[in-house]
């Protein structure tokens, strides 16, 4: 699909996810009404407040008040917070537009690719929320009046606060975006599915999965994670970087069987194995789904594969923990966005590692599909194939 056709659904999806998150933030006021606890229990109301707070325009009560005369009173802090929210929503629009353009162009919703396009756009949405919160974090931190105090730990706290509201909003956005993309793709000859050597595809998927396993299995072990948090230090604004490193490097967390009943420990390790299996399967299929195997396409594909695998792992954890029975329906998706920052780090690394392995293994011509040969052995132009 050409950029001219892909830009229409990408713009529609960007506008929709921005409006959905804005509406979710504005809906946070309803949780303050007296009857809110009649609809949801107290724990569910608290969870919903955590979901919606990063997208609420209302000035938090924790901001400094008029007594802070150094910056001309509390209105300056409120203005900083408003600026942070403006940057946040503009960033949501921009990041989703960029990712959707690449995904729709390289995995157009035709020729059996539609489910992959939906899943890719859905997985990209929590990443969009995290990136938008990250780029607006300096203004939000400064609005609380402690811009020079424990900057890196506070930055880590803001980064992980994008909230699981992006998960249901992202699913709706992905479905609408793909429906629009299918309409704009009518009349265009579909790009054929690419043929990838099975052995090369398996090697590439295994190499990319090994990169993901480095975080999920090695770095996420409690003693290694503790070393990451405490072994690096700095001075001034760069002091205490450990928490920020954990956010960007750890896809999960696990302990030795000595601290957990062996049955539960084995179940959670099985969930981790399922995450790695999901990453491997997605990376195995990715080169064949792409119209052209480029570094940006493999990088964003690796990110989406990692996010989807984490969602699978979180659903299994929810089943183990009996969250629905204990805490109610709202808590079902409270932790679905866990590990998203690290998914960016290791998803990009996994995708690029798979690409390098695929090229070294001779899996396919990354410049496009090979042209069929005629009776004389010379290439024959394939008029049915749309040039990308």
């Amino acid at each position: 699909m050409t950029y001219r056709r892909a830009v229409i659904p990408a713009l529609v999806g960007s506008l929709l996810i921005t409006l959905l998150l804005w509406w979710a933030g504005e809906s946070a006021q309803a949780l303050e009404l007296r009857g809110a606890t009649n609809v949801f229990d107290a724990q569910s109301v608290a969870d919903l407040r955590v979901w919606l707070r990063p997208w609420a325009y209302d000035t938090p009560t924790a901001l400094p008040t008029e007594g802070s005369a150094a910056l001309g009173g509390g209105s300056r802090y409120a203005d900083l917070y408003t600026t942070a929210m403006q940057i946040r929503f503009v960033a949501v629009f921009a990041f989703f537009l960029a990712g959707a353009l690449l995904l729709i162009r390289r995995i157009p919703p035709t020729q059996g690719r539609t489910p992959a396009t939906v899943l890719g756009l859905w997985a990209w949405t929590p990443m969009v929320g995290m990136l938008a919160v990250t780029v607006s974090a300096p203004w939000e931190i400064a609005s609380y009046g402690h811009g020079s105090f424990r900057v890196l730990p506070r930055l880590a706290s803001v980064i992980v606060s994008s909230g699981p509201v992006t998960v249901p909003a992202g699913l709706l956005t992905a479905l609408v975006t793909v429906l629009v993309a299918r309409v704009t793709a009518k009349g265009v000859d579909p790009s054929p599915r690419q043929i990838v050597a099975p052995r090369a595809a398996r090697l590439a998927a295994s190499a990319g999965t090994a990169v993901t396993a480095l975080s999920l299995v090695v770095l996420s072990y409690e003693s290694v994670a503790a070393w990451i948090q405490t072994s690096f230090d700095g001075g001034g604004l760069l002091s205490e970087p450990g928490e920020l490193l954990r956010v960007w490097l750890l896809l999960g967390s696990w302990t030795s069987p000595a601290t957990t009943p062996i049955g539960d420990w084995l179940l959670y390790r099985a969930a981790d194995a399922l995450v790695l299996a999901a990453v491997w399967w997605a990376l195995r299929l990715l080169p064949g789904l792409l119209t052209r195997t480029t570094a940006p396409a493999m990088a964003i594909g690796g990110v989406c594969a990692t996010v989807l695998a984490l969602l699978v792992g979180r659903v299994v954890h929810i089943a183990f923990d009996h969250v629905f029975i204990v805490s109610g329906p709202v808590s079902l998706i409270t932790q679905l966005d866990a590990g998203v920052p690290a998914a960016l780090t290791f998803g990009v690394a996994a995708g690029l590692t798979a690409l390098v392995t695929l090229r070294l293994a001779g899996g396919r011509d990354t410049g496009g599909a090979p042209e069929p040969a005629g009776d004389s052995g010379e290439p024959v132009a394939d008029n049915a194939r749309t040039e990308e």
Side-chain angles (χ1 to χ4, degrees), residues 204-205 207-209 211-212 279 283 286-287 290 293-303 305-306 343-358:
T209 305
V211 173
T212 305
V279 171
L283 292 177
L286 182 60
L290 295 172
T293 311
T294 61
M298 287 296 289
I300 195 171
V303 169
T306 307
L344 176 62
T345 304
F346 287 93
V348 170
L352 295 180
T353 300
L355 175 63
V356 171
T357 305
L358 191 66

Side-chain angles (χ1 to χ4, degrees), residues 326-366:
V326 175
S327 303
V330 174
S331 58
L332 282 175
I333 60 175
T334 297
Q335 295 296 325
L336 287 184
D337 64 330
V340 170
L344 176 62
T345 304
F346 287 93
V348 170
L352 295 180
T353 300
L355 175 63
V356 171
T357 305
L358 191 66
R359 286 178 172 175
L360 292 176
R364 61 174 285 188
D365 179 4
T366 56

Side-chain angles (χ1 to χ4, degrees), residues 93-359:
F93 184 91
F95 281 125
F96 188 90
L97 178 63
L101 270 175
L102 183 56
L103 286 169
I104 295 172
R105 178 163 163 76
R106 293 301 174 209
I107 312 179
T110 56
Q111 287 290 317
R113 293 186 176 103
T114 300
T117 311
V118 172
L119 291 175
L121 290 170
W122 183 31
W124 180 242
T125 311
M127 190 63 61
V128 167
M130 185 276 297
L131 290 172
V133 168
T134 300
V135 299
S136 62
W139 286 268
E140 181 179 352
I141 293 172
S143 70
Y144 286 91
H146 302 287
S148 60
F149 175 69
R150 291 175 54 84
V151 173
L152 297 185
R154 291 172 64 85
L155 179 60
S157 177
V158 173
I159 288 173
V160 299
S161 70
S162 57
V165 69
T166 55
V167 177
L171 181 57
L172 176 59
T173 301
L175 292 172
V176 172
T177 303
V178 168
L179 285 176
V180 177
R182 288 184 66 88
V183 172
T184 60
K186 285 185 177 180
V188 177
D189 294 329
S191 300
R193 295 287 294 268
Q194 302 294 333
I195 299 176
V196 183
R199 179 177 177 274
R202 288 193 294 267
L203 284 174
S206 299
T209 305
V211 173
T212 305
L214 174 64
S215 172
L216 189 64
V217 177
V218 179
L219 300 182
S220 295
Y221 183 59
E222 59 175 347
S223 60
V224 180
W227 178 82
I228 292 173
Q229 183 161 356
T230 58
S231 296
F232 299 94
D233 201 359
L237 293 176
L238 300 180
S239 62
E240 303 181 71
E243 191 62 34
L244 187 61
L245 289 173
R246 283 172 59 100
V247 167
W248 290 104
L249 295 178
L250 305 188
L251 286 169
S253 63
W254 63 285
T255 61
S256 65
T259 59
T260 310
I262 187 63
D264 293 342
W265 187 86
L266 290 174
L267 285 174
Y268 285 114
R269 300 296 70 77
D272 291 340
L274 183 60
V275 170
L276 295 177
V279 171
W280 187 91
W281 185 253
L283 292 177
R284 165 67 178 82
L285 298 177
L286 182 60
L289 291 170
L290 295 172
T291 58
R292 191 178 179 196
T293 311
T294 61
M298 287 296 289
I300 195 171
V303 169
C304 293
T306 307
V307 173
L308 285 173
L310 289 176
L311 286 173
V312 171
R314 289 307 309 170
V315 169
V316 174
H317 279 224
I318 289 170
F320 291 164
D321 294 336
H322 304 290
V323 173
F324 180 83
I325 298 174
V326 175
S327 303
V330 174
S331 58
L332 282 175
I333 60 175
T334 297
Q335 295 296 325
L336 287 184
D337 64 330
V340 170
L344 176 62
T345 304
F346 287 93
V348 170
L352 295 180
T353 300
L355 175 63
V356 171
T357 305
L358 191 66
R359 286 178 172 175

Side-chain angles (χ1 to χ4, degrees), residues 57-77:
Y57 252 94
D58 290 341
T59 304
T61 56
L63 293 185
T65 58
E66 294 296 333
S68 304
L71 289 179
S75 61
R76 297 282 183 92
Y77 293 104

